Amino acid sequence: MDKVDVRRVVFYLLIAFGFSWSVALVIYMTGGIAGSLPVAPGSPITWAVPLLTVYMLGPAIGNIGARLLTGEGWKDLWLRPNFRQGWKYWLIAWILTPLMVLGGGLLYFFFDPQAFDLNALNGGEIGGTAVTPSMMLINIGVAILISPLANALPTLGEEFGWRAYLQPKLLPLGERKMYLLVGLIWGAWHWPVIWMGHNYPGYPVWGSLAMVWFAFVTGTFFGWATLRGGSVWPAVIGHGALNGVANIWLLFLAGETNPLIGPVVVGVVGSIFFAITAGLIFFNARSEPAPQTAVQETQPGNL
């Protein structure tokens, strides 16, 4: 049985958190997320948008930095696609992720139908643009099909760290403990932007706890796809799909809602199908440390 390489894990976390939280400090000092200035006069895009993308690179930089500082080398990067054996996990992550996002929103509106904005489906306007049912369906379809690829680079910035470095390092503890620890760490990594109103505006404390839960349930799914697919790319695809459709239900929302609950996927109801999937994975995973042979079977090779 392998032991957890605590030294390399600590180096990784210091670099990943140090880089991303430094970027968060820059965001805070330049107006925060809500008060960020536009990148150009009249532009709807504020500086917070590219800075949040830079923030996402911290885990990947942690992977590279820890390898350089500890002399670990470049084996077991989990970057080999392994598509011939793992293609079904690519497909599962690509298709199941948006279905779980959409399903969580539907469940929220089932219990609170008055929160659903029918105007969006009856020629209403969103942001001054007329919206038709066919337009909404096309936009959702494009988001499902294209967003995993369009978001691949920034999500690789996270997954190359969490799933391709931290997860294998903690795997000797057993899959269950590994999923719990990675979820806790990934959730805490989000805290500075949560405190600035991202994802859970108005709920800095409860939002921090909710993000840990959300990171655990989604991270367990992405981690499982990585392990079974023998590559980080199913997680990259799934994470890209998640980011592409995460806020889709806001287009149908009438009035204000509690982001801790839904309909957005980061809410407890919005993430319910991720929670069910994570529960199935978690309780069928190894609770004890994996034997040496089992750990080796999950390694994707030198790339």
Side-chain angles (χ1 to χ4, degrees), residues 78 82 227-228 230 286 291-301:
W78 292 77
N82 198 28
L227 284 178
R228 301 304 182 267
R286 290 179 178 272
Q292 176 70 20
T293 54
V295 175
Q296 288 177 338
E297 286 173 359
T298 64
Q299 298 300 316

Side-chain angles (χ1 to χ4, degrees), residues 143-160:
I144 292 174
L145 293 175
I146 303 301
S147 60
L149 299 178
N151 294 327
L153 184 59
T155 56
L156 178 62
E158 288 198 51
E159 298 303 331
F160 187 52

